[in-house]
Amino acid sequence: MINDAAIAKQILSKSYAQDRDMTGTKASNRKNFNMLAAEDNTPSFIALNGKKWSTMRQLVHSKLVRVMNTKYVNDIMSDVIKNEFEPKLTKIINSDSNEWFCRESLSQLTFNIIFKANFGQNVGFADNPLCTQLAKDIVDVVGWDIAKRSVLLFMLPNLAPTVIPKSYFQPVYDIKKRINASLKKLIQQRNSMEKKQNGVEDVTFMDHTREMVDKEADEYTESQEIADIFLLFLAGTDTTSISTEWGLLLLSRQPEIQERVRNELISVLDKNGIDYKSDPVNVLYDIKLLLQLPLFRACIHEILRISCVARTGVPHASARDIPIKFKDGKQYTIPAGARIFYNVEGIHYNVNQTENWKNDKYGLNYQQICLENWLKDDSDFESGFKFYQNPSFITFGHGKRDCVGKQLAMKEMRVILGYLLLNYRFKVEDKYMEMDRIPCKGGVRGGVSKPLPQIPLIVEQMKY
């Protein structure tokens, strides 16, 4: 377990530390239960190594960037926010309590992005029980209750089912079977759809991937496609929505930061003549606009630092001995065949006091937003700062096997958080303000790290 960002990046940048070491990587362990795979335990491309992984990674990344550009993400989210999201928040604001348990709404919002990319249509959850159930299952599968059972099957594949009653593991088997059946049905529906709308080619991300794999790689089986779509839903739905939930809670507990970031958004949008009052959903957070929003970018990165929903990253394996050098000049060798984890939470919370975070300097604990972690003085900006990438940040991993969906996650968070900050003010009850830390449960080995129990947000409409 690596507890230093510089050392972790030093290792993960090596060509001989690119391999994965997880269930499904080796053909010999594909008979073992794998929650994050197709029903026959065919793994997604994330578990593959060698040329097959390299080909799939290149294809998936190129098509993900091509299909899911900034405008595409904006257009999808605009429809969902206007048709699904706003009505719910309006109802909450007009209620007596103004309390919003945001997890379900946020997960449905991010679910729609991945669904549109794969199946070419938006989801209306009110009249689509199949997608409503699938969205719930995607959230539940990385939740604590399912994760603690599936981890036992992963860690003790031969022993656990023999010493623990089958009824204990039945929820795991049931949810995996249900997810696979839902994805199989949706793939069949997509394959039978007309690929044109109003005479315009309407080719989805998975259409592109399937076509390119058939040309450049081995046969792309239905099980492989199910596993890859399952991975995309997991990576693009629950992790992003939970990070956004963390963000809203953190900003509610630090209202001065919430106002500071909101004021920057309003000032920059006004300066650029962007109408955020009548149509706040369609603000296009392209690179030109982002360069003018150092506080907004810093806020999103701080949310990702603090939430670190995957606490120990995704495991790597060393193909040969890896020499590493520490800051004090000492050297160490990680032996060939070692399984490598990097302690995202430990690095982001500065457990070794060796990282580049400034929370201590500003009197903040490491579960509080410190925008200065991402800012450098620059008088050319209205705020007096410019954004810079803190080298201690490792949420998305590092090197050639970093998170393939990191750009999509960032696009989603910009649109969601920008829309929410421009339209609503968020608070929490005093008892939640007085807590030293937001309690949470989960992580890579025990599900995505989520605030637990859920904390209700008090929502107020912004008035301009």
Side-chain angles (χ1 to χ4, degrees), residues 317-332:
S318 53
R320 69 184 198 196
D321 288 356
I322 302 177
I324 56 174
K325 189 173 183 179
F326 290 87
K327 293 174 183 176
D328 60 5
K330 292 181 180 179
Q331 293 190 331
Y332 180 78

Side-chain angles (χ1 to χ4, degrees), residues 84 122-132:
E84 303 272 344
N122 288 332
V123 179
F125 287 101
D127 56 1
N128 195 325
L130 175 66
C131 290
T132 301

Side-chain angles (χ1 to χ4, degrees), residues 390-406:
N390 193 307
S392 292
F393 185 64
I394 199 165
T395 285
F396 297 112
H398 185 72
K400 290 183 178 179
R401 294 208 77 157
D402 63 357
C403 175
V404 70
K406 64 181 180 181

